[in-house]
């Protein structure tokens, strides 16, 4: 146990996910020995993020404004909407530079065990967007997990009647991967989803 | 790239040692979704630590007061001083509950390659403590590395003439370790330092 202020910082850092007591201690001493401006900037960044970040009114992406920069971008195709579980997923898809539509952040995936039903996700908001924005295709990019798959199936069943096309990201072997290391579920999906060359 | 405030927080977190971009992103989103009080407490803990923590006037341990709680503790033996490289090391030794003397934090170890000579360490301060506090034994607990060993040798040569006993922590096999996994240097030291049973 260290004295007062340094122990309090170690305790706070150790509450963060993936940071153990040893890492928390190393980080605290790093901050103790860092430039005054560096430590101050980190503290301010935390406070600023909490006060300034809000969710986009349209797609629920994190933003500093009423609507996120993607929804504000007039060059993006409003008829194509990619549905993701979390705001973090948007950045990953944007990096591919293959998608020019808008997004919709559900805020999770259906998981009866965790008590997450359709009411806990932003499905009603998505439903409203379809007629309002003239959406023609929903690309469901939830995770390739049981919860993600269930959510995709639910969305297809609920939203297809509104006249929208619902598609799902392809599942299969990762590029650069090795067949030897593929698990049977992934390999099974790659087989079912095989494409003519 | 995320928008303004969240990206700034990710950037600041990624500057911390051992935190990569992916971890920084996970931490930032954790703080975004955390209770307001939790995020605020972490920010305050950083600022408080910077404003309140100072170094003990006597041993240079981190403290919130003029002298650290160990130096203020009258039950500790002032004639026995354990010399460590960093303040963090004190906690590790305290946990053994085997040491009842005081400490002295050097602030590093001698390392000519990194430009750390005796002038960069708190050796002069240690020298002053020997007559002032009637120190009879210095236990040098620098790390069992080339730098730590060099520092120990240097301290022995410089401080023995002042009439103080200088000892070094034993080096050898870790308790619960396996001979098979011991490196030859450690095993060599364990042989040299063998004790009669």
């Amino acid at each position: 146990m260290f004295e007062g202020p340094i122990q309090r910082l170690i305790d706070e850092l150790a509450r963060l996910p993936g940071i153990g007591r040893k890492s928390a201690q190393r980080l605290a001493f790093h901050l103790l020995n860092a430039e005054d401006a560096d430590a101050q900037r980190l503290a301010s960044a935390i406070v600023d993020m909490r006060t300034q970040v809000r969710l986009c009114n349209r797609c629920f992406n994190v933003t500093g404004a009423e609507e996120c920069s993607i929804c504000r971008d007039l060059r993006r195709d409003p008829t194509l909407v990619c549905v993701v579980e979390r705001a973090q997923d948007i950045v990953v898809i944007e990096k591919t530079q293959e998608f020019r539509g808008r997004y919709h952040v559900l805020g999770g995936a259906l998981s009866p065990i965790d008590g997450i039903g359709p009411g806990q996700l932003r499905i009603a908001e998505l439903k409203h967007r379809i007629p309002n924005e003239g959406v023609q295709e929903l690309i469901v990019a939830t995770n390739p997990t049981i919860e993600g798959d269930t959510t995709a199936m639910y969305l297809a069943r609920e939203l297809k009647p509104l006249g929208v096309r619902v598609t799902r990201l392809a599942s299969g072997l990762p590029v650069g991967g090795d067949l030897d290391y593929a698990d049977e579920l992934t390999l099974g999906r790659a087989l079912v989803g095989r494409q003519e060359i």
Side-chain angles (χ1 to χ4, degrees), chain A:
Chain A
M1 284 289 289
F2 292 90
E3 291 184 45
I6 190 109
Q7 188 62 43
R8 268 201 301 284
L9 178 58
I10 293 172
D11 291 343
E12 288 301 328
L13 289 167
R15 291 164 59 99
L16 297 173
I19 308 269
R21 300 221 57 87
K22 206 77 192 169
S23 304
Q25 186 181 315
R26 200 184 62 237
L27 290 174
F29 275 91
H30 169 83
L31 287 169
L32 179 64
N33 299 318
E35 294 288 315
D36 215 14
D38 283 9
Q40 188 56 57
R41 259 209 325 277
L42 175 58
S44 311
I46 295 170
V47 173
D48 289 354
M49 184 272 295
R50 294 294 303 201
T51 50
Q52 294 171 13
V53 168
R54 40 170 302 168
L55 299 183
C56 171
N57 284 344
R58 187 190 301 268
C59 76
F60 303 94
N61 185 8
V62 287
T63 177
E66 292 269 303
E67 286 197 351
C68 76
S69 56
I70 294 172
C71 284
R72 288 198 310 268
D73 186 344
L74 296 173
R75 290 162 305 176
R76 312 278 306 208
D77 181 358
T79 69
L80 194 59
V81 170
C82 180
V83 181
V84 292
E85 294 184 17
R86 306 170 313 155
Q88 293 96 300
D89 301 328
I90 293 178
V91 177
V92 185
I93 296 173
E94 283 295 289
K95 275 195 192 138
T96 66
Q97 301 196 326
E98 297 277 353
F99 181 70
R100 300 299 301 161
R102 284 175 176 167
Y103 291 93
H104 189 83
V105 181
L106 287 178
L110 291 175
S111 174
I113 296 172
D114 302 317
I116 300 175
Q120 276 71 53
L121 303 180
R122 301 193 192 96
I123 294 177
E125 291 86 342
L126 177 59
K127 236 175 192 163
H128 281 122
R129 288 183 65 182
I130 293 170
N132 286 352
E133 299 172 36
V135 178
Q136 287 169 12
E137 180 175 351
L138 289 178
I139 302 176
V140 184
T142 50
N143 289 325
T145 57
I146 294 177
E147 291 79 13
D149 288 347
T150 310
T151 310
M153 301 294 277
Y154 179 87
L155 290 177
R157 210 185 56 206
E158 287 287 303
L159 304 178
K160 268 185 180 170
L162 302 179
V164 74
R165 202 177 152 215
V166 181
T167 58
R168 179 100 174 92
L169 286 191
S171 222
L173 298 172
V175 177
D178 188 319
L179 218 71
D180 257 7
Y181 293 104
D183 62 291
E184 54 267 53
L185 275 173
T186 302
L187 205 52
R189 290 234 187 157
L191 268 170
V192 171
R194 67 188 180 280
Q195 294 181 319
E196 200 156 304
I197 48 171

